[in-house]
Amino acid sequence: MSSRRRSRTLPHTPVILAHGGAGARIVTPAQLACLADALSRGYTVLRRGGHALDAVETTTRFLESSGHFNAGTGAHLQLDGVRRMDAALMEGRTLKAGAVAGIEAVRHPISAARLVMEKTAHVLLIGPHATRFARHFKLERQVANHRRSALASARRNTSREAVTATGPQRRMLRLYRQMLGEETVGAVALDRRGTLAASTSTGGIAFMLPGRAGDSPLIGCGIYADDEAGAVSMTGLGESIIRVAMAKEIADRMAMGTSPTTAARLVLEKLDRRIRKVEGFGAAGALVLAPDGRFAIRHSTPRMCAGYWAGTGQPVVADRFS
Ligand code: ASP
């Protein structure tokens, strides 16, 4: 076999990246361990020759049901005390995408997003209609919605006040944590066929008005995947990410030949220059994966719970990336 032919048939080396949100909050060892576990589950799909879309869905489902993150079982509440979640996924070969916004009482919003992609002619379903759609397909429900959320938040809470507080104080702390944002989850993957995929799933940000949706379910803002450019999953303040259409802007720069690291850096700098410096808020983190397997994890927040695995050694997870 000629070397030219061999290089055409050589499989791509699979790689997967995942995040558990960017912000200022301390990342717990339990969250890092959970992220590593989620990466190895997603990678197992890729190693067996599975599709990148299945890998990001598997990883995201694991994070959604862990209760360690602001997604699925651990998703936070909006100001009226209701948990409404957003999720999206996208595949880079066909540019097909599916998303849900404001979906309620579903254990895996990411799987609802996949059903939107595969069973409808649409990209985004919202609110009660998204919830009804998930019911129609008999997606697993979140049981004892609010009690579970309180327990998940309490488990995550390692602060000293929470340990020493009693009675009403503890209930207030618990409610406060349930209202806080950050800890959104997401993933990007490259499979052996060279197909890219990206996912996001979130309970939103702190003190959201009922009905608020962020960047996570918006294609081009919180998520993008194009085999001719790259795959991106964003986390951070949705209100600023949307205005820069960050995921698409990073992918567009990669399509022009910019590396994942530089593309992410330039677009995070743009966010900083155009929004944070003017209005005093707006920071984000990005997972970026190129069609050739090069990748970057970058953030303008103090911390980002994230990691990657390309199959050798152990999954790499950390709370900061330069
Ligand atoms: N981007 C998410 C949102 O605005 C929040 C996050 O990533 O922490 O809903």
Side-chain angles (χ1 to χ4, degrees):
M1 199 189 282
S2 77
S3 65
R4 226 175 121 222
R5 183 173 159 98
R6 209 167 35 236
S7 70
R8 268 211 308 269
T9 54
L10 251 182
H12 290 254
T13 304
V15 55
I16 186 159
L17 285 75
H19 72 75
R25 197 112 52 93
I26 303 283
V27 176
T28 66
Q31 286 176 319
L32 289 176
C34 179
L35 196 68
D37 211 351
L39 281 165
S40 53
R41 281 161 199 261
Y43 191 81
T44 302
V45 173
L46 299 172
R47 183 166 43 78
R48 294 180 177 154
H51 198 288
L53 201 60
D54 291 326
V56 295
E57 187 185 1
T58 299
T59 296
T60 307
R61 281 176 64 95
F62 186 78
L63 295 169
E64 282 176 341
S65 48
S66 70
H68 287 299
F69 297 96
N70 172 20
T73 301
H76 298 318
L77 311 179
Q78 297 197 323
L79 278 177
D80 58 355
V82 177
R83 180 191 289 149
R84 298 184 185 86
M85 299 162 288
D86 303 336
L89 43 69
M90 183 164 184
E91 203 249 38
R93 188 178 63 80
T94 56
L95 300 182
K96 283 188 177 168
V100 288
I103 197 167
E104 290 177 36
V106 169
R107 190 167 166 86
H108 293 296
I110 197 65
S111 296
R114 182 148 184 186
L115 283 170
V116 172
M117 175 181 142
E118 289 180 347
K119 304 286 185 197
T120 77
H122 312 306
V123 169
L124 173 62
L125 288 183
I126 62 167
H129 307 286
T131 309
R132 258 203 305 278
F133 173 78
R135 295 274 175 274
H136 174 79
F137 284 97
K138 304 201 170 9
L139 282 192
E140 199 179 337
R141 293 180 187 229
Q142 263 181 26
V143 280
N145 204 3
H146 297 92
R147 218 176 47 231
R148 269 187 102 103
S149 171
L151 285 172
S153 293
R155 239 196 341 256
R156 284 207 298 272
N157 195 344
T158 54
S159 70
R160 180 171 306 167
E161 310 93 276
V163 173
T164 53
T166 52
Q169 262 177 315
R170 187 171 290 177
R171 273 196 296 280
M172 284 296 288
L173 276 167
R174 216 176 267 168
L175 187 63
Y176 179 71
R177 278 195 65 87
Q178 281 176 259
M179 296 279 187
L180 285 177
E182 301 183 7
E183 301 170 331
T184 286
V185 306
V188 292
L190 173 70
D191 66 29
R192 286 196 192 282
R193 285 172 290 275
T195 301
L196 290 164
S199 67
T200 51
S201 182
T202 188
I205 55 164
F207 310 115
M208 296 162 282
L209 285 177
R212 178 263 184 195
D215 60 301
S216 307
L218 301 184
I219 307 304
C221 297
I223 177 175
Y224 204 71
D226 178 354
D227 285 2
E228 296 178 7
V232 182
S233 177
M234 297 300 306
T235 173
L237 185 66
E239 280 68 7
S240 57
I241 295 170
I242 291 170
R243 288 159 63 194
V244 179
M246 288 186 81
K248 183 68 163 72
E249 171 121 18
I250 292 173
D252 282 349
R253 285 172 188 266
M254 287 199 291
M256 306 287 283
T258 308
S259 72
T261 305
T262 307
R265 179 175 57 74
L266 290 174
V267 180
L268 284 167
E269 279 171 11
K270 177 174 175 181
L271 179 75
D272 204 55
R273 182 167 43 83
R274 298 293 302 275
I275 298 191
R276 196 191 61 79
K277 287 217 167 85
V278 182
E279 299 175 27
F281 64 86
L287 301 179
V288 187
L289 178 57
D292 63 5
R294 287 175 302 152
F295 62 83
I297 300 173
R298 287 195 76 100
H299 51 104
S300 53
T301 48
R303 296 185 181 84
M304 180 165 173
C305 173
Y308 58 92
W309 203 25
T312 49
Q314 298 292 314
V316 176
V317 291
D319 68 351
R320 259 171 246 244
F321 293 80
S322 56

